[in-house]
Amino acid sequence: MPYHSTPLDLAFHALSDPTRRAVVSRLVEGELPVSALAEPFDMALPSFAQHLKVLEDCGLIASEKRGRSRWCRLVEARFDEAADWMVSERRRWTERLDRLEVYLDKTEEDDEGHGKPV
């Protein structure tokens, strides 16, 4: 596995897997024990636990032992960081595309003013 240098890189790596995204989707509803989280997946518990480890290592989920069960929950702060990054990137690209549109409109106007075909 390649080295991921930032928490944001780790979060996006973790969310690149459909099983881990499904786990996150289930945890949106609230905390669940690992046994309940693993139930819908057709894989051995040790394999499923590796998915949970990836999510926990990057800070997207946290778990704690309660009696004989391990319970998992989402950690909203890491999701907020990813969302903030996406909003920032979207804003940046929207601004760039807006400037491109202005430039193209001006170029088209200049071409029409000089009798050049569009």
Side-chain angles (χ1 to χ4, degrees):
M1 178 167 101
Y3 177 74
H4 299 284
S5 59
T6 69
L8 189 60
D9 292 337
L10 292 169
F12 282 116
H13 166 72
L15 293 171
S16 70
D17 182 87
T19 298
R20 293 190 288 263
R21 287 193 308 272
V23 167
V24 167
S25 292
R26 295 197 63 214
L27 288 174
V28 166
E29 302 298 322
E31 295 182 347
L32 287 169
V34 170
S35 58
L37 278 173
E39 192 174 289
F41 299 99
D42 186 26
M43 66 178 71
L45 193 55
S47 297
F48 184 76
Q50 287 180 331
H51 286 288
L52 295 180
K53 181 174 177 8
V54 171
L55 289 167
E56 195 162 10
D57 286 351
C58 75
L60 290 172
I61 68 168
S63 70
E64 68 176 312
K65 187 89 165 157
R66 293 185 197 160
R68 300 181 94 181
S69 299
R70 179 158 292 280
W71 285 71
C72 297
R73 64 177 172 79
L74 292 180
V75 178
E76 291 182 32
R78 182 68 71 223
F79 287 95
D80 291 343
E81 290 172 17
D84 290 346
W85 181 85
M86 287 186 280
V87 166
S88 173
E89 285 299 302
R90 183 178 193 159
R91 185 179 309 117
R92 188 172 73 130
W93 280 101
T94 298
E95 290 169 0
R96 284 181 171 189
L97 291 171
D98 289 347
R99 286 194 309 268
L100 177 60
E101 182 178 28
V102 168
Y103 172 78
L104 292 174
D105 287 347
K106 183 179 180 333
T107 303
E108 187 175 286
E109 288 172 11
D110 290 347
D111 288 346
E112 288 174 359
H114 291 91
K116 296 179 182 176
V118 177

